[in-house]
């Protein structure tokens, strides 16, 4: 069972984030997470499927964050 768009996740920092998009990239699923508090925080995470559930690995590499932002921007609908 994968994490779905709209799910609320509590991360290790005890803050809640909404999953606003999921994309397959380089053989893994990546999540675009937005905080439900202000100031708004955006995080990217790699979904890791394990026997006993799902783990998330936060993306900390700046270059990978830029690539993911570009990927998610292309996949999200734009207002016109």
């Amino acid at each position: 069972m994968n994490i779905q768009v709209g799910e609320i996740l509590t991360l290790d920092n005890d803050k809640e984030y909404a999953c606003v998009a999921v994309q397959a990239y380089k053989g893994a699923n990546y999540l675009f997470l937005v905080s439900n508090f202000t100031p708004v925080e955006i995080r990217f995470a790699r979904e890791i499927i394990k026997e006993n559930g799902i783990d998330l690995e936060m993306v900390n590499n700046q270059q990978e964050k830029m690539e993911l932002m570009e990927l998610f921007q292309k996949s999200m609908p734009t207002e016109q």
Side-chain angles (χ1 to χ4, degrees), residues 18-63:
C19 178
V20 296
V22 178
Q23 281 287 318
Y25 180 65
K26 293 185 177 181
N29 281 340
Y30 284 84
L31 310 176
F32 186 124
L33 305 172
V34 177
S35 66
N36 64 353
F37 54 86
T38 54
V40 173
E41 293 180 8
I42 294 173
R43 306 279 308 261
F44 296 105
R46 181 179 305 109
E47 192 177 52
I48 301 168
I49 308 296
K50 294 190 171 188
E51 285 182 28
N52 58 347
I54 298 172
D55 279 349
L56 296 180
E57 180 180 291
M58 292 299 117
V59 174
N60 295 313
N61 177 284
Q62 191 63 29
Q63 181 62 37

